Amino acid sequence: GDSVTQMEGPVTLSEEAFLTINCTYTATGYPSLFWYVQYPGEGLQLLLKATKADDKGSNKGFEATYRKETTSFHLEKGSVQVSDSAVYFCALNYGNNRLAFGKGNQVVVIP
Amino acid sequence: GAGVSQSPRYKVAKRGQDVALRCDPISGHVSLFWYQQALGQGPEFLTYFQNEAQLDKSGLPSDRFFAERPEGSVSTLKIQRTQQEDSAVYLCASSLQGAQKETQYFGPGTRLLVL
């Protein structure tokens, strides 16, 4: 079935480093793609989304481009801050009104 | 405006007890979703409402799980005869119409621990 795969394991990096979190998907048709973020002690909130191929979603310095040819939606940020420490989830909505989430990646930014 | 709210935020139940989890969606949102999030995992879909109609309940793990939204706003997820494997965070989300492109807005979740 339709699914999302995120890279394994937590990500630890220093402040001002470049962040990439890989996300690939398997889907029939053309899903909408999302990145959600969960800060410590808080609920899931939308970070960015893209609804068709070649769309780029961006927010708070984060970007992700919907790549149909590689079925990917990798999240990037050029210079992370300690406040970016959180768990990041990639998700897709393939039109039957449900989101399918990846397992999430914990990002820890060290000052 | 107010976001999605859920209550209680934490619930401890003894195995075999029944529990009821409440969700108040964003006012005016037609669609409401329930997800289950196990520790260290992404949320998993449970069920979906469009107004008061439950259009998809294919994610409910057993017939001990039941959800309702009788007036098309507040929803309750009920778990009967709770088991230890039901321990998880239960998330509610709402969206304006439920369309594929729409953002789903999540509540803070109810953390259920079954002893």
Short mmCIF file of all heavy atoms in Angstrom, two decimals, chain B residues 6-73:
data_model
loop_
_atom_site.label_atom_id
_atom_site.label_comp_id
_atom_site.label_asym_id
_atom_site.label_seq_id
_atom_site.Cartn_x
_atom_site.Cartn_y
_atom_site.Cartn_z
N GLN B 6 -8.14 18.27 23.25
CA GLN B 6 -8.43 16.89 23.61
C GLN B 6 -8.42 16.75 25.13
O GLN B 6 -7.66 17.43 25.82
CB GLN B 6 -7.38 15.94 23.01
CG GLN B 6 -7.43 15.86 21.50
CD GLN B 6 -6.47 14.82 20.96
OE1 GLN B 6 -5.50 15.13 20.26
NE2 GLN B 6 -6.74 13.56 21.28
N SER B 7 -9.26 15.86 25.60
CA SER B 7 -9.27 15.59 27.05
C SER B 7 -9.64 14.14 27.30
O SER B 7 -10.37 13.54 26.49
CB SER B 7 -10.27 16.52 27.75
OG SER B 7 -11.58 16.31 27.27
N PRO B 8 -9.11 13.54 28.39
CA PRO B 8 -8.08 14.12 29.24
C PRO B 8 -6.73 14.13 28.51
O PRO B 8 -6.59 13.51 27.47
CB PRO B 8 -8.05 13.16 30.43
CG PRO B 8 -8.43 11.84 29.84
CD PRO B 8 -9.44 12.15 28.76
N ARG B 9 -5.76 14.82 29.03
CA ARG B 9 -4.42 14.79 28.43
C ARG B 9 -3.69 13.50 28.80
O ARG B 9 -2.88 12.99 28.02
CB ARG B 9 -3.61 15.99 28.91
CG ARG B 9 -4.11 17.33 28.38
CD ARG B 9 -3.90 17.45 26.87
NE ARG B 9 -2.53 17.15 26.47
CZ ARG B 9 -1.53 18.00 26.52
NH1 ARG B 9 -1.73 19.25 26.95
NH2 ARG B 9 -0.33 17.64 26.12
N TYR B 10 -3.98 12.98 29.97
CA TYR B 10 -3.37 11.74 30.44
C TYR B 10 -4.45 10.86 31.05
O TYR B 10 -5.35 11.35 31.72
CB TYR B 10 -2.28 12.01 31.49
CG TYR B 10 -1.20 12.93 31.00
CD1 TYR B 10 -1.29 14.30 31.21
CD2 TYR B 10 -0.09 12.44 30.31
CE1 TYR B 10 -0.31 15.15 30.74
CE2 TYR B 10 0.90 13.29 29.85
CZ TYR B 10 0.78 14.65 30.07
OH TYR B 10 1.75 15.50 29.61
N LYS B 11 -4.32 9.57 30.79
CA LYS B 11 -5.29 8.64 31.36
C LYS B 11 -4.58 7.36 31.73
O LYS B 11 -3.88 6.77 30.89
CB LYS B 11 -6.41 8.34 30.35
CG LYS B 11 -7.45 7.33 30.82
CD LYS B 11 -8.30 7.89 31.92
CE LYS B 11 -9.35 6.87 32.36
NZ LYS B 11 -10.17 7.39 33.50
N VAL B 12 -4.73 6.94 32.97
CA VAL B 12 -4.21 5.66 33.41
C VAL B 12 -5.40 4.75 33.66
O VAL B 12 -6.34 5.14 34.37
CB VAL B 12 -3.36 5.79 34.69
CG1 VAL B 12 -2.86 4.42 35.13
CG2 VAL B 12 -2.18 6.73 34.45
N ALA B 13 -5.40 3.59 33.06
CA ALA B 13 -6.50 2.65 33.21
C ALA B 13 -5.96 1.28 33.61
O ALA B 13 -4.86 0.89 33.21
CB ALA B 13 -7.29 2.54 31.91
N LYS B 14 -6.75 0.58 34.38
CA LYS B 14 -6.41 -0.81 34.68
C LYS B 14 -6.91 -1.67 33.53
O LYS B 14 -7.94 -1.38 32.91
CB LYS B 14 -7.05 -1.24 36.00
CG LYS B 14 -6.49 -0.54 37.22
CD LYS B 14 -7.15 -1.06 38.48
CE LYS B 14 -6.58 -0.36 39.70
NZ LYS B 14 -7.22 -0.82 40.95
N ARG B 15 -6.16 -2.71 33.27
CA ARG B 15 -6.54 -3.62 32.19
C ARG B 15 -7.98 -4.09 32.40
O ARG B 15 -8.34 -4.52 33.49
CB ARG B 15 -5.57 -4.80 32.14
CG ARG B 15 -5.73 -5.70 30.94
CD ARG B 15 -4.48 -6.56 30.75
NE ARG B 15 -4.17 -7.32 31.96
CZ ARG B 15 -4.57 -8.57 32.17
NH1 ARG B 15 -5.32 -9.18 31.28
NH2 ARG B 15 -4.22 -9.20 33.26
N GLY B 16 -8.76 -3.99 31.33
CA GLY B 16 -10.16 -4.40 31.42
C GLY B 16 -11.15 -3.26 31.59
O GLY B 16 -12.35 -3.43 31.37
N GLN B 17 -10.62 -2.09 31.96
CA GLN B 17 -11.50 -0.92 32.12
C GLN B 17 -11.87 -0.35 30.76
O GLN B 17 -11.14 -0.52 29.78
CB GLN B 17 -10.77 0.18 32.92
CG GLN B 17 -10.89 0.08 34.41
CD GLN B 17 -10.26 1.28 35.10
OE1 GLN B 17 -9.28 1.85 34.62
NE2 GLN B 17 -10.82 1.67 36.24
N ASP B 18 -12.99 0.36 30.72
CA ASP B 18 -13.39 1.11 29.54
C ASP B 18 -12.90 2.55 29.69
O ASP B 18 -12.91 3.10 30.79
CB ASP B 18 -14.91 1.12 29.39
CG ASP B 18 -15.48 -0.27 29.18
OD1 ASP B 18 -14.70 -1.23 28.94
OD2 ASP B 18 -16.72 -0.40 29.24
N VAL B 19 -12.48 3.16 28.57
CA VAL B 19 -12.07 4.57 28.60
C VAL B 19 -12.76 5.33 27.47
O VAL B 19 -13.14 4.74 26.45
CB VAL B 19 -10.54 4.73 28.47
CG1 VAL B 19 -9.83 4.07 29.65
CG2 VAL B 19 -10.03 4.21 27.15
N ALA B 20 -12.91 6.63 27.69
CA ALA B 20 -13.51 7.50 26.67
C ALA B 20 -12.62 8.73 26.51
O ALA B 20 -12.29 9.40 27.49
CB ALA B 20 -14.91 7.92 27.07
N LEU B 21 -12.23 9.00 25.29
CA LEU B 21 -11.34 10.11 24.98
C LEU B 21 -12.11 11.11 24.13
O LEU B 21 -12.78 10.73 23.16
CB LEU B 21 -10.10 9.60 24.21
CG LEU B 21 -9.41 8.37 24.79
CD1 LEU B 21 -8.22 7.99 23.93
CD2 LEU B 21 -8.98 8.59 26.22
N ARG B 22 -11.97 12.39 24.48
CA ARG B 22 -12.79 13.41 23.83
C ARG B 22 -11.94 14.29 22.93
O ARG B 22 -10.77 14.59 23.24
CB ARG B 22 -13.45 14.27 24.90
CG ARG B 22 -14.28 15.44 24.37
CD ARG B 22 -14.74 16.32 25.50
NE ARG B 22 -15.30 17.59 25.02
CZ ARG B 22 -16.60 17.86 24.97
NH1 ARG B 22 -17.48 16.97 25.39
NH2 ARG B 22 -17.03 19.02 24.52
N CYS B 23 -12.54 14.72 21.84
CA CYS B 23 -11.88 15.64 20.91
C CYS B 23 -12.83 16.77 20.53
O CYS B 23 -13.96 16.52 20.10
CB CYS B 23 -11.45 14.90 19.64
SG CYS B 23 -10.83 15.99 18.33
N ASP B 24 -12.35 18.00 20.67
CA ASP B 24 -13.08 19.18 20.19
C ASP B 24 -12.33 19.75 18.99
O ASP B 24 -11.25 20.32 19.16
CB ASP B 24 -13.16 20.24 21.29
CG ASP B 24 -14.20 19.93 22.32
OD1 ASP B 24 -13.88 19.19 23.27
OD2 ASP B 24 -15.32 20.42 22.17
N PRO B 25 -12.88 19.61 17.80
CA PRO B 25 -12.17 20.09 16.61
C PRO B 25 -12.25 21.61 16.49
O PRO B 25 -12.96 22.28 17.25
CB PRO B 25 -12.93 19.42 15.47
CG PRO B 25 -14.33 19.31 15.99
CD PRO B 25 -14.18 19.03 17.47
N ILE B 26 -11.52 22.13 15.54
CA ILE B 26 -11.61 23.55 15.23
C ILE B 26 -13.03 23.85 14.73
O ILE B 26 -13.56 23.09 13.91
CB ILE B 26 -10.55 23.94 14.19
CG1 ILE B 26 -9.15 23.80 14.81
CG2 ILE B 26 -10.77 25.36 13.69
CD1 ILE B 26 -8.01 23.98 13.83
N SER B 27 -13.59 24.92 15.23
CA SER B 27 -14.96 25.28 14.86
C SER B 27 -15.09 25.42 13.35
O SER B 27 -14.28 26.09 12.70
CB SER B 27 -15.35 26.60 15.53
OG SER B 27 -16.64 26.99 15.15
N GLY B 28 -16.10 24.78 12.80
CA GLY B 28 -16.35 24.88 11.36
C GLY B 28 -15.66 23.81 10.53
O GLY B 28 -15.92 23.70 9.32
N HIS B 29 -14.79 23.04 11.14
CA HIS B 29 -14.11 21.97 10.40
C HIS B 29 -15.05 20.78 10.24
O HIS B 29 -15.57 20.24 11.21
CB HIS B 29 -12.83 21.54 11.11
CG HIS B 29 -11.68 22.44 10.81
ND1 HIS B 29 -10.37 22.09 11.07
CD2 HIS B 29 -11.64 23.66 10.25
CE1 HIS B 29 -9.57 23.07 10.67
NE2 HIS B 29 -10.32 24.04 10.18
N VAL B 30 -15.23 20.39 9.01
CA VAL B 30 -16.16 19.32 8.68
C VAL B 30 -15.56 17.95 8.97
O VAL B 30 -16.24 17.04 9.39
CB VAL B 30 -16.57 19.44 7.20
CG1 VAL B 30 -17.31 18.21 6.72
CG2 VAL B 30 -17.43 20.70 7.00
N SER B 31 -14.26 17.82 8.73
CA SER B 31 -13.61 16.51 8.82
C SER B 31 -12.86 16.35 10.13
O SER B 31 -12.22 17.29 10.61
CB SER B 31 -12.64 16.33 7.65
OG SER B 31 -13.35 16.34 6.44
N LEU B 32 -12.94 15.14 10.67
CA LEU B 32 -12.28 14.83 11.93
C LEU B 32 -11.65 13.46 11.81
O LEU B 32 -12.25 12.53 11.26
CB LEU B 32 -13.29 14.88 13.08
CG LEU B 32 -12.74 14.70 14.50
CD1 LEU B 32 -13.55 15.54 15.49
CD2 LEU B 32 -12.71 13.25 14.92
N PHE B 33 -10.43 13.36 12.35
CA PHE B 33 -9.64 12.14 12.22
C PHE B 33 -9.12 11.72 13.60
O PHE B 33 -8.78 12.57 14.42
CB PHE B 33 -8.42 12.38 11.32
CG PHE B 33 -8.74 12.99 9.99
CD1 PHE B 33 -8.91 14.36 9.87
CD2 PHE B 33 -8.85 12.20 8.85
CE1 PHE B 33 -9.20 14.94 8.64
CE2 PHE B 33 -9.13 12.77 7.63
CZ PHE B 33 -9.31 14.14 7.52
N TRP B 34 -9.00 10.43 13.79
CA TRP B 34 -8.32 9.88 14.97
C TRP B 34 -7.11 9.06 14.50
O TRP B 34 -7.20 8.29 13.53
CB TRP B 34 -9.25 8.97 15.78
CG TRP B 34 -10.27 9.69 16.61
CD1 TRP B 34 -11.58 9.91 16.29
CD2 TRP B 34 -10.08 10.23 17.91
NE1 TRP B 34 -12.22 10.57 17.33
CE2 TRP B 34 -11.32 10.78 18.33
CE3 TRP B 34 -8.99 10.32 18.79
CZ2 TRP B 34 -11.48 11.40 19.57
CZ3 TRP B 34 -9.16 10.93 20.01
CH2 TRP B 34 -10.40 11.47 20.40
N TYR B 35 -6.00 9.25 15.23
CA TYR B 35 -4.78 8.50 14.97
C TYR B 35 -4.27 7.93 16.30
O TYR B 35 -4.53 8.48 17.37
CB TYR B 35 -3.69 9.40 14.39
CG TYR B 35 -3.97 9.95 13.01
CD1 TYR B 35 -4.75 11.10 12.84
CD2 TYR B 35 -3.46 9.33 11.87
CE1 TYR B 35 -5.01 11.60 11.58
CE2 TYR B 35 -3.71 9.84 10.61
CZ TYR B 35 -4.48 10.97 10.47
OH TYR B 35 -4.74 11.47 9.21
N GLN B 36 -3.52 6.86 16.19
CA GLN B 36 -2.86 6.25 17.35
C GLN B 36 -1.36 6.32 17.13
O GLN B 36 -0.87 5.95 16.05
CB GLN B 36 -3.30 4.78 17.47
CG GLN B 36 -2.68 4.03 18.64
CD GLN B 36 -2.97 2.54 18.54
OE1 GLN B 36 -2.62 1.89 17.56
NE2 GLN B 36 -3.63 1.98 19.55
N GLN B 37 -0.64 6.81 18.13
CA GLN B 37 0.81 6.93 18.01
C GLN B 37 1.49 6.13 19.12
O GLN B 37 1.44 6.51 20.29
CB GLN B 37 1.25 8.39 18.07
CG GLN B 37 2.73 8.58 17.79
CD GLN B 37 3.16 10.03 17.76
OE1 GLN B 37 2.44 10.92 18.21
NE2 GLN B 37 4.32 10.31 17.20
N ALA B 38 2.10 5.03 18.73
CA ALA B 38 2.87 4.24 19.68
C ALA B 38 4.21 4.93 19.93
O ALA B 38 4.67 5.74 19.12
CB ALA B 38 3.08 2.84 19.13
N LEU B 39 4.83 4.58 21.03
CA LEU B 39 6.09 5.22 21.42
C LEU B 39 7.16 5.04 20.34
O LEU B 39 7.40 3.92 19.89
CB LEU B 39 6.57 4.61 22.75
CG LEU B 39 7.72 5.32 23.44
CD1 LEU B 39 7.30 6.74 23.84
CD2 LEU B 39 8.18 4.53 24.67
N GLY B 40 7.73 6.14 19.92
CA GLY B 40 8.82 6.06 18.95
C GLY B 40 8.36 5.81 17.52
O GLY B 40 9.20 5.56 16.63
N GLN B 41 7.07 5.89 17.26
CA GLN B 41 6.53 5.62 15.93
C GLN B 41 5.76 6.84 15.41
O GLN B 41 5.44 7.75 16.16
CB GLN B 41 5.59 4.42 15.97
CG GLN B 41 6.22 3.14 16.46
CD GLN B 41 7.31 2.64 15.54
OE1 GLN B 41 7.14 2.62 14.32
NE2 GLN B 41 8.44 2.25 16.10
N GLY B 42 5.47 6.80 14.12
CA GLY B 42 4.60 7.83 13.56
C GLY B 42 3.14 7.50 13.84
O GLY B 42 2.79 6.35 14.13
N PRO B 43 2.27 8.49 13.77
CA PRO B 43 0.85 8.23 13.98
C PRO B 43 0.29 7.27 12.94
O PRO B 43 0.70 7.30 11.77
CB PRO B 43 0.21 9.61 13.83
CG PRO B 43 1.31 10.58 14.11
CD PRO B 43 2.54 9.93 13.59
N GLU B 44 -0.66 6.43 13.39
CA GLU B 44 -1.35 5.49 12.51
C GLU B 44 -2.83 5.85 12.48
O GLU B 44 -3.46 6.04 13.53
CB GLU B 44 -1.17 4.06 13.00
CG GLU B 44 0.26 3.55 12.99
CD GLU B 44 0.69 3.04 11.64
OE1 GLU B 44 -0.18 2.86 10.76
OE2 GLU B 44 1.90 2.84 11.45
N PHE B 45 -3.39 5.88 11.29
CA PHE B 45 -4.80 6.25 11.11
C PHE B 45 -5.72 5.24 11.79
O PHE B 45 -5.52 4.02 11.71
CB PHE B 45 -5.10 6.29 9.61
CG PHE B 45 -6.56 6.43 9.27
CD1 PHE B 45 -7.16 7.68 9.28
CD2 PHE B 45 -7.31 5.33 8.93
CE1 PHE B 45 -8.51 7.82 8.95
CE2 PHE B 45 -8.65 5.45 8.60
CZ PHE B 45 -9.26 6.69 8.61
N LEU B 46 -6.75 5.77 12.46
CA LEU B 46 -7.78 4.90 13.05
C LEU B 46 -9.11 5.05 12.32
O LEU B 46 -9.67 4.07 11.84
CB LEU B 46 -7.98 5.26 14.52
CG LEU B 46 -6.83 4.97 15.48
CD1 LEU B 46 -7.17 5.44 16.88
CD2 LEU B 46 -6.48 3.48 15.49
N THR B 47 -9.62 6.29 12.26
CA THR B 47 -10.95 6.48 11.71
C THR B 47 -11.14 7.92 11.27
O THR B 47 -10.39 8.81 11.67
CB THR B 47 -12.03 6.05 12.72
OG1 THR B 47 -13.32 6.09 12.10
CG2 THR B 47 -12.05 6.98 13.93
N TYR B 48 -12.20 8.16 10.45
CA TYR B 48 -12.43 9.46 9.83
C TYR B 48 -13.92 9.75 9.78
O TYR B 48 -14.72 8.86 9.44
CB TYR B 48 -11.82 9.43 8.43
CG TYR B 48 -12.37 10.42 7.43
CD1 TYR B 48 -12.22 11.78 7.64
CD2 TYR B 48 -13.01 9.99 6.27
CE1 TYR B 48 -12.70 12.69 6.71
CE2 TYR B 48 -13.50 10.90 5.35
CZ TYR B 48 -13.34 12.25 5.57
OH TYR B 48 -13.82 13.15 4.65
N PHE B 49 -14.28 11.00 10.11
CA PHE B 49 -15.65 11.47 10.05
C PHE B 49 -15.76 12.65 9.09
O PHE B 49 -14.90 13.53 9.06
CB PHE B 49 -16.14 11.95 11.42
CG PHE B 49 -16.32 10.87 12.44
CD1 PHE B 49 -15.25 10.42 13.19
CD2 PHE B 49 -17.57 10.30 12.65
CE1 PHE B 49 -15.42 9.43 14.13
CE2 PHE B 49 -17.74 9.31 13.59
CZ PHE B 49 -16.67 8.87 14.34
N GLN B 50 -16.85 12.66 8.36
CA GLN B 50 -17.25 13.85 7.60
C GLN B 50 -18.58 14.26 8.22
O GLN B 50 -19.59 13.56 8.10
CB GLN B 50 -17.41 13.49 6.12
CG GLN B 50 -17.70 14.65 5.23
CD GLN B 50 -16.44 15.30 4.67
OE1 GLN B 50 -15.34 15.06 5.15
NE2 GLN B 50 -16.60 16.12 3.65
N ASN B 51 -18.57 15.41 8.90
CA ASN B 51 -19.71 15.77 9.76
C ASN B 51 -19.98 14.62 10.74
O ASN B 51 -19.06 14.16 11.40
CB ASN B 51 -20.92 16.11 8.90
CG ASN B 51 -20.70 17.35 8.07
OD1 ASN B 51 -20.37 18.41 8.61
ND2 ASN B 51 -20.85 17.24 6.77
N GLU B 52 -21.20 14.14 10.82
CA GLU B 52 -21.49 13.08 11.79
C GLU B 52 -21.30 11.69 11.21
O GLU B 52 -21.39 10.70 11.94
CB GLU B 52 -22.92 13.24 12.32
CG GLU B 52 -24.02 12.97 11.30
CD GLU B 52 -24.30 14.16 10.41
OE1 GLU B 52 -23.59 15.17 10.51
OE2 GLU B 52 -25.25 14.07 9.61
N ALA B 53 -21.02 11.61 9.93
CA ALA B 53 -20.90 10.31 9.27
C ALA B 53 -19.48 9.76 9.40
O ALA B 53 -18.51 10.43 9.04
CB ALA B 53 -21.28 10.45 7.80
N GLN B 54 -19.39 8.54 9.88
CA GLN B 54 -18.10 7.86 9.96
C GLN B 54 -17.86 7.18 8.63
O GLN B 54 -18.43 6.12 8.36
CB GLN B 54 -18.11 6.86 11.12
CG GLN B 54 -16.75 6.26 11.41
CD GLN B 54 -16.76 5.37 12.65
OE1 GLN B 54 -17.81 4.90 13.07
NE2 GLN B 54 -15.59 5.12 13.24
N LEU B 55 -17.01 7.77 7.82
CA LEU B 55 -16.82 7.29 6.45
C LEU B 55 -15.76 6.22 6.33
O LEU B 55 -15.73 5.50 5.33
CB LEU B 55 -16.49 8.46 5.52
CG LEU B 55 -17.56 9.55 5.40
CD1 LEU B 55 -17.17 10.57 4.33
CD2 LEU B 55 -18.93 8.94 5.11
N ASP B 56 -14.88 6.14 7.30
CA ASP B 56 -13.80 5.16 7.20
C ASP B 56 -13.41 4.76 8.62
O ASP B 56 -13.00 5.61 9.40
CB ASP B 56 -12.61 5.76 6.45
CG ASP B 56 -11.49 4.76 6.19
OD1 ASP B 56 -11.52 3.64 6.74
OD2 ASP B 56 -10.56 5.10 5.43
N LYS B 57 -13.55 3.50 8.94
CA LYS B 57 -13.11 3.01 10.25
C LYS B 57 -12.17 1.83 10.08
O LYS B 57 -12.01 1.02 10.99
CB LYS B 57 -14.29 2.66 11.14
CG LYS B 57 -15.29 1.70 10.57
CD LYS B 57 -16.41 1.46 11.57
CE LYS B 57 -17.43 0.49 11.02
NZ LYS B 57 -18.54 0.23 11.98
N SER B 58 -11.54 1.78 8.94
CA SER B 58 -10.71 0.63 8.61
C SER B 58 -9.46 0.52 9.47
O SER B 58 -8.86 -0.55 9.56
CB SER B 58 -10.31 0.67 7.14
OG SER B 58 -9.56 1.84 6.88
N GLY B 59 -9.05 1.60 10.13
CA GLY B 59 -7.85 1.57 10.96
C GLY B 59 -8.09 1.15 12.40
O GLY B 59 -7.12 0.93 13.15
N LEU B 60 -9.32 1.02 12.80
CA LEU B 60 -9.60 0.61 14.18
C LEU B 60 -9.07 -0.80 14.39
O LEU B 60 -9.42 -1.72 13.63
CB LEU B 60 -11.09 0.68 14.46
CG LEU B 60 -11.71 2.08 14.41
CD1 LEU B 60 -13.22 2.02 14.61
CD2 LEU B 60 -11.08 3.00 15.45
N PRO B 61 -8.23 -1.01 15.41
CA PRO B 61 -7.53 -2.30 15.53
C PRO B 61 -8.39 -3.47 15.96
O PRO B 61 -8.02 -4.61 15.71
CB PRO B 61 -6.44 -2.00 16.57
CG PRO B 61 -6.89 -0.81 17.31
CD PRO B 61 -7.75 -0.03 16.41
N SER B 62 -9.50 -3.20 16.61
CA SER B 62 -10.38 -4.31 17.01
C SER B 62 -11.77 -3.75 17.28
O SER B 62 -11.98 -2.54 17.29
CB SER B 62 -9.83 -4.99 18.27
OG SER B 62 -10.12 -4.22 19.42
N ASP B 63 -12.71 -4.66 17.51
CA ASP B 63 -14.08 -4.21 17.79
C ASP B 63 -14.22 -3.65 19.20
O ASP B 63 -15.31 -3.25 19.60
CB ASP B 63 -15.08 -5.35 17.54
CG ASP B 63 -14.81 -6.57 18.40
OD1 ASP B 63 -13.92 -6.50 19.27
OD2 ASP B 63 -15.46 -7.59 18.19
N ARG B 64 -13.11 -3.59 19.95
CA ARG B 64 -13.17 -2.92 21.25
C ARG B 64 -13.09 -1.40 21.09
O ARG B 64 -13.36 -0.66 22.03
CB ARG B 64 -12.01 -3.39 22.13
CG ARG B 64 -12.05 -4.86 22.49
CD ARG B 64 -10.94 -5.24 23.48
NE ARG B 64 -9.61 -5.08 22.90
CZ ARG B 64 -8.78 -4.06 23.17
NH1 ARG B 64 -9.16 -3.10 24.02
NH2 ARG B 64 -7.59 -4.01 22.62
N PHE B 65 -12.71 -0.97 19.89
CA PHE B 65 -12.57 0.46 19.62
C PHE B 65 -13.82 0.95 18.89
O PHE B 65 -14.25 0.35 17.91
CB PHE B 65 -11.34 0.72 18.74
CG PHE B 65 -10.03 0.59 19.44
CD1 PHE B 65 -9.56 -0.65 19.85
CD2 PHE B 65 -9.24 1.70 19.71
CE1 PHE B 65 -8.34 -0.78 20.50
CE2 PHE B 65 -8.03 1.58 20.35
CZ PHE B 65 -7.58 0.35 20.75
N PHE B 66 -14.32 2.08 19.38
CA PHE B 66 -15.54 2.64 18.83
C PHE B 66 -15.44 4.16 18.86
O PHE B 66 -15.00 4.73 19.85
CB PHE B 66 -16.74 2.16 19.67
CG PHE B 66 -18.04 2.80 19.33
CD1 PHE B 66 -18.73 2.43 18.19
CD2 PHE B 66 -18.57 3.79 20.14
CE1 PHE B 66 -19.94 3.03 17.88
CE2 PHE B 66 -19.78 4.40 19.83
CZ PHE B 66 -20.46 4.02 18.70
N ALA B 67 -15.83 4.81 17.78
CA ALA B 67 -15.79 6.27 17.74
C ALA B 67 -17.12 6.81 17.28
O ALA B 67 -17.82 6.16 16.49
CB ALA B 67 -14.68 6.76 16.82
N GLU B 68 -17.45 7.99 17.76
CA GLU B 68 -18.70 8.62 17.36
C GLU B 68 -18.53 10.13 17.31
O GLU B 68 -17.66 10.69 17.97
CB GLU B 68 -19.84 8.25 18.31
CG GLU B 68 -19.62 8.64 19.75
CD GLU B 68 -20.74 8.18 20.66
OE1 GLU B 68 -21.65 7.47 20.21
OE2 GLU B 68 -20.69 8.55 21.84
N ARG B 69 -19.42 10.74 16.54
CA ARG B 69 -19.44 12.21 16.40
C ARG B 69 -20.89 12.59 16.12
O ARG B 69 -21.23 13.02 15.03
CB ARG B 69 -18.52 12.64 15.25
CG ARG B 69 -18.20 14.13 15.21
CD ARG B 69 -17.41 14.48 13.96
NE ARG B 69 -17.00 15.87 13.98
CZ ARG B 69 -16.63 16.54 12.89
NH1 ARG B 69 -16.59 15.94 11.71
NH2 ARG B 69 -16.26 17.81 12.99
N PRO B 70 -21.74 12.42 17.09
CA PRO B 70 -23.19 12.44 16.85
C PRO B 70 -23.76 13.74 16.30
O PRO B 70 -24.76 13.70 15.57
CB PRO B 70 -23.77 12.13 18.23
CG PRO B 70 -22.68 12.42 19.21
CD PRO B 70 -21.40 12.17 18.49
N GLU B 71 -23.16 14.88 16.63
CA GLU B 71 -23.70 16.14 16.16
C GLU B 71 -22.76 16.84 15.18
O GLU B 71 -22.94 18.01 14.87
CB GLU B 71 -24.02 17.06 17.34
CG GLU B 71 -25.09 16.46 18.25
CD GLU B 71 -25.38 17.34 19.45
OE1 GLU B 71 -24.72 18.40 19.61
OE2 GLU B 71 -26.24 16.97 20.26
N GLY B 72 -21.78 16.09 14.72
CA GLY B 72 -20.89 16.64 13.72
C GLY B 72 -19.85 17.61 14.24
O GLY B 72 -19.21 18.30 13.44
N SER B 73 -19.67 17.65 15.58
CA SER B 73 -18.60 18.52 16.10
C SER B 73 -17.71 17.69 17.02
O SER B 73 -16.78 17.05 16.54
CB SER B 73 -19.17 19.74 16.80
OG SER B 73 -20.07 19.37 17.82
#
